[in-house]
Amino acid sequence: MGKTLFDKVWDAHVVDTVDGGREVLYIDKHLIHEVTSPQAFQGLRDRGIKVARPERTVATADHNVPTENQHLPIREELSRIQVQKLVDNCEEFGVTLYGLGHPYQGIVHVIGPELGITQPGMTMVCGDSHTSTHGAFGTIAFGIGTSQVEQVLATQCLLLTRPKRMRIRVEGELSKGVLAKDVILYIISQLTAAGGTGYFIEYAGSVIRSLSMEGRMTVCNMSIEMGARGGMIAPDETTFEYVKGREFAPQGEDYDKAVAYWKTLYTDEDAVFDKEYVYHAEDIEPMLTYGTNPGMGIPVSGEIPQTGGQQGDASFRKALSYMGLDAGSKLEGHPVNHVFIGSCTNSRIEDLRLVAKFVNGKKVASNVSAMVVPGSQQVRKQAVQEGLDKVLRDAGFDFREAGCSACLGMNEDKVPAGQYCVSTSNRNFEGRQGPGARTILASPLMAAATAIEGKIVDVREYI
Amino acid sequence: MEKIEIIDSSCIPLPIEDVDTDQIIPARFLKATTKENFGDNLFRDWRYNSDDSPKEDFVLNNPTYSGVVLVAGKNFGCGSSREHAAWALEDFGIKVVVSSFFADIFKGNALNNGILPITVSDAFLDKLFRAIEKDPKARVHVSLPDQTIKILDTSDSETFDIDPYKKMCLLNGYDDIDYLLSKKDQINEFEETRTY
Ligand code: SF4
């Protein structure tokens, strides 16, 4: 019987199998950031051991960093201490750090791919659930807890149970104004926030194939929002082209050899999945969330449902009351005061280009404060080279320095309590963008159109 | 890590579904660099008003309920992979979480920190919530060796699954690093045979 893409990559990394079916899995690349690593380094110190393979771990600071005046010390004391702790730990344990001020600094899931650290066929982990992003390259990539960060630092391995396999095919051709973000929000709205639990997903089908690497990363990024361990896409010419020539990618002859191997990474015809779903592009519109988990999504032309459905009614009511929205009402036309374009879901150069193109010559509505936060210093540099910063600023957007920013209420960028924010990030949990903040997830185009109109609109009517 | 064997306790009911780890411990409390004292901020925004006064109607502020067993609605621990959620529960004194469904990463994190996540049937969870509603002091008896959970008032009981390796770890207070470090030679050998 044939193998799935997932099993091909997983099998190539199994060091040993333990009683009860757990496997010792070798990890090729380990990314760390300031939030989930300090206790792991402390664990090594307590045990008196070193980092086993320091060359396989790369660090950056992203969650706590301010997105203005990054050359100045971080104002908030605890954030400053945490970022400093990362600097100290990396120095003590010999780990490469692209910290604040470094030209490669940025959101961990943006810098891995853009530096060529992320490559097809690898196993990659990070103490961060959106590590699934890297699956876009045909990589087994997933988020881990801090105890596991410690395990990888100590042994370059993890002890894991193999997840089940799911394939989600999206077939057809997306209509104008419908982006990768809409595809994944649609899938999650169909499968719910728990629909992928226990599974590793492979995304396939003509819609997925037609996406750029940026689009594929957006899709894989949100796999975790349906509870899946991760999501991946078989590498193809789009992938090889993207990886080629990047700083840490194999070069010359090594690259050719690597590509020959990468070409073997696909799901065999007769491979079997534990679960399969097929969706059709023509059913997918620009999407919006109305509730407090990413599964609570509706098409822009749709209405908020009357009942919780699979969600459970009590949670549904609680979510609507937090959001200040009514069952049965439409989101289109709803006024919004904040727009956030950024996060590891949508802060890559392609997202910025798309937004800049849309807002060029337009003005952000007077009731809206809108910001664009590039995912990395490199994205920012590229945007400036292309003049996108000017277009965005002229339109009234605040164009910031790289970081997680208002994706999570951990740094200075927050949405005030009770206010609505249309956000290109990945989580609309209660308080995610700051205590009491009300998040509506959407694509970068929908966010840009909302910023200009001052209320939620259907972007398809503006392009 | 502390060992777990038999737990006999009253319960803290949280009949809410899809409790995500941002609720268990909000992001702004993730700035610590040690594992201590996260329990103070467990369910911070559900537990306290913005002026730090306790919210009277939240279960952790209700002295009627106590114990080391948290009983929660389905899909507990979804969202962010932050292990701080497990540290917060552990620091607060929770040893067992009962739900009809757990998010994967949370489950792993709980097990790695000496918290036993018990997945029960929807029907059993319902019975347990009703038993606690009837008598806030209702007790459960959990036996990890036997893999059983019993509601003492009603004598309803159910067996639960746990990975045999993880069971051994919890019973002995071991963790994965001890195990992986013992595999060092094999890991070195594996590295040598790899072309990619
Ligand atoms: S951008 Fe948001 S989701 Fe992505 S790593 Fe940062 S905090 Fe996490």
Side-chain angles (χ1 to χ4, degrees):
Chain A
M1 197 177 69
K3 274 190 186 182
T4 63
L5 163 65
F6 174 83
D7 286 289
K8 285 182 183 175
V9 179
W10 181 285
D11 287 344
H13 291 84
V14 175
V15 175
D16 194 14
T17 306
V18 187
D19 289 349
R22 289 197 165 224
E23 291 168 291
V24 177
L25 194 76
Y26 189 80
I27 303 301
D28 292 319
K29 284 284 180 226
H30 182 205
L31 306 173
I32 58 173
H33 60 63
E34 76 277 17
V35 183
T36 51
S37 66
Q39 294 87 352
F41 282 112
Q42 188 53 44
L44 296 186
R45 245 177 246 122
D46 294 345
R47 288 172 204 261
I49 52 179
K50 295 197 179 82
V51 173
R53 301 286 178 269
E55 69 281 6
R56 289 188 180 270
T57 295
V58 175
T60 191
D62 51 8
H63 285 61
N64 280 281
V65 304
T67 56
E68 275 179 318
N69 297 322
Q70 285 185 346
H71 58 288
L72 299 178
I74 301 176
R75 276 196 296 238
E76 219 263 319
E77 192 191 356
L78 290 175
S79 291
R80 192 172 62 241
I81 293 174
Q82 203 173 51
V83 170
Q84 186 55 44
K85 197 86 192 165
L86 182 70
V87 175
D88 298 345
N89 283 331
C90 286
E91 206 177 272
E92 179 180 343
F93 288 92
V95 170
T96 303
L97 166 68
Y98 301 133
L100 213 49
H102 192 285
Y104 292 169
Q105 179 267 338
I107 304 173
V108 66
H109 311 309
V110 175
I111 70 167
E114 79 183 1
L115 292 173
I117 296 170
T118 307
Q119 296 163 26
M122 282 183 163
T123 46
M124 282 182 86
V125 295
C126 173
D128 193 287
S129 52
H130 294 100
T131 309
S132 59
T133 312
H134 309 265
F137 291 78
T139 308
I140 292 183
F142 51 92
I144 54 178
T146 299
S147 301
Q148 292 173 305
V149 172
E150 190 180 336
Q151 288 168 36
V152 178
L153 289 174
T155 68
Q156 205 56 40
C157 287
L158 284 172
L159 199 49
L160 297 164
T161 315
R162 197 182 289 229
K164 290 181 278 187
R165 305 89 173 145
M166 177 189 290
R167 177 162 60 188
I168 298 177
R169 285 189 292 136
V170 191
E171 302 287 358
E173 211 178 308
L174 295 177
S175 46
K176 226 172 139 200
V178 179
L179 306 183
K181 181 66 165 285
D182 301 306
V183 173
I184 189 63
L185 283 173
Y186 175 81
I187 294 172
I188 304 169
S189 75
Q190 300 295 307
L191 287 179
T192 78
T197 306
Y199 291 89
F200 210 98
I201 301 172
E202 179 178 343
Y203 300 98
S206 53
V207 166
I208 303 295
R209 290 260 78 84
S210 72
L211 294 176
S212 64
M213 286 317 293
E214 282 87 349
R216 294 179 190 185
M217 286 188 250
T218 301
V219 170
C220 289
N221 174 274
M222 292 191 71
S223 305
I224 184 71
E225 305 312 334
M226 23 185 179
R229 278 312 255 130
M232 69 198 299
I233 296 171
D236 58 11
E237 288 304 324
T238 308
T239 324
F240 309 147
E241 260 317 297
Y242 181 97
V243 175
K244 195 174 183 173
R246 292 190 183 260
E247 171 132 17
F248 297 104
Q251 312 286 341
E253 221 176 278
D254 288 343
Y255 172 81
D256 297 336
K257 260 200 247 162
V259 170
Y261 171 59
W262 296 343
K263 283 187 172 163
T264 67
L265 301 176
Y266 54 84
T267 290
D268 296 329
E269 288 272 327
D270 55 343
V272 180
F273 288 84
D274 298 291
K275 234 180 207 173
E276 290 219 54
Y277 296 94
V278 183
Y279 297 110
H280 300 282
E282 58 267 32
D283 298 332
I284 309 178
E285 285 182 33
M287 294 288 296
L288 297 162
T289 61
Y290 60 86
T292 53
N293 76 53
M296 302 173 88
I298 50 172
V300 59
S301 69
E303 286 166 2
I304 297 172
Q306 294 288 354
T307 63
Q310 308 180 55
Q311 176 79 34
D313 229 38
S315 305
F316 174 74
R317 302 276 155 214
K318 186 171 184 297
L320 285 193
S321 126
Y322 178 85
M323 290 297 291
L325 296 169
D326 297 323
S329 67
K330 287 191 80 159
L331 284 171
E332 203 182 342
H334 196 285
V336 165
N337 300 114
H338 294 265
V339 167
F340 170 63
I341 296 172
S343 90
C344 57
T345 319
N346 286 117
S347 65
R348 297 181 178 82
I349 190 69
E350 187 181 276
D351 301 308
L352 269 52
R353 285 186 189 133
L354 206 65
V355 171
K357 188 166 167 227
F358 182 84
V359 305
N360 193 2
K362 302 191 177 84
K363 281 277 177 223
V364 169
S366 56
N367 59 314
V368 175
S369 117
M371 77 184 185
V372 174
V373 185
S376 69
Q377 299 296 344
Q378 301 241 87
V379 170
R380 186 170 200 277
K381 195 169 144 204
Q382 178 77 28
V384 172
Q385 270 167 11
E386 294 178 20
L388 307 181
D389 58 328
K390 186 163 181 323
V391 173
L392 293 166
R393 284 205 177 101
D394 286 350
F397 282 87
D398 199 355
F399 183 74
R400 296 292 187 92
E401 293 172 81
C404 293
S405 186
C407 173
L408 91 169
M410 196 166 180
N411 49 68
E412 294 172 357
D413 306 341
K414 291 188 182 74
V415 175
Q419 301 211 4
Y420 292 92
C421 178
V422 168
S423 174
T424 67
S425 56
N426 45 41
R427 285 190 172 145
N428 50 351
F429 298 152
E430 285 184 30
R432 174 77 180 182
Q433 297 193 289
R438 293 163 163 169
T439 304
I440 296 170
L441 301 176
S443 79
L445 268 184
M446 284 290 282
T450 302
I452 302 298
E453 297 303 320
K455 59 182 186 200
I456 295 173
V457 294
D458 185 342
V459 69
R460 290 173 299 181
E461 290 164 17
Y462 296 79
I463 48 178
Chain B
M1 202 169 88
E2 267 183 58
K3 297 180 189 180
I4 290 195
E5 210 176 330
I6 306 283
I7 304 254
D8 197 316
S9 168
S10 53
C11 305
I12 300 174
L14 190 68
I16 299 171
E17 295 180 0
D18 301 311
V19 173
D20 60 75
T21 52
D22 274 75
Q23 307 317 316
I24 301 175
I25 183 88
R28 59 187 190 280
F29 299 113
L30 307 189
K31 297 184 188 190
T33 52
T34 68
K35 295 185 186 180
E36 278 99 58
N37 301 330
F38 280 100
D40 294 348
N41 296 314
L42 175 68
F43 291 115
R44 180 78 204 192
D45 295 339
W46 286 354
R47 199 167 144 200
Y48 298 102
N49 293 306
S50 47
D51 63 359
D52 293 339
S53 60
K55 292 187 179 176
E56 300 290 322
D57 54 352
F58 187 62
V59 64
L60 295 190
N61 295 323
N62 185 338
T64 322
Y65 300 102
S66 62
V68 299
V69 177
L70 179 72
V71 185
K74 85 164 180 272
N75 199 23
F76 186 81
C78 60
S80 153
S81 58
R82 60 188 68 163
E83 192 157 327
H84 312 67
W87 299 336
L89 287 162
E90 198 254 359
D91 187 53
F92 187 81
I94 299 296
K95 297 217 176 311
V96 173
V97 185
V98 183
S99 177
S100 56
F101 195 91
F102 287 95
D104 273 348
I105 303 184
F106 173 79
K107 195 169 168 180
N109 286 339
L111 287 165
N112 283 338
N113 286 280
I115 296 172
L116 174 62
I118 300 182
T119 309
V120 295
S121 66
D122 287 322
F124 186 86
L125 187 67
D126 203 49
K127 278 183 197 151
L128 182 51
F129 275 130
R130 270 190 279 146
I132 303 167
E133 201 177 290
K134 219 169 128 206
D135 172 14
K137 298 277 172 235
R139 298 182 82 77
V140 290
H141 181 87
V142 173
S143 164
L144 178 57
D146 298 341
Q147 296 178 218
T148 54
I149 175 166
K150 184 174 180 182
I151 307 171
L152 290 176
D153 283 3
T154 63
S155 293
D156 283 303
S157 81
E158 206 167 86
T159 57
F160 58 85
D161 284 337
I162 179 167
D163 177 294
Y165 165 79
K166 273 292 157 197
K167 179 174 174 178
M168 181 277 287
C169 286
L170 281 181
L171 286 170
N172 295 292
Y174 290 163
D175 68 18
D176 289 354
I177 298 187
D178 301 328
Y179 180 84
L180 286 171
L181 284 171
S182 75
K183 293 269 161 185
K184 211 166 174 180
D185 293 344
Q186 237 173 310
I187 296 170
N188 289 341
E189 264 169 50
F190 174 84
E191 276 183 326
E192 274 159 32
T193 62
R194 291 193 69 225
T195 39
Y196 286 99

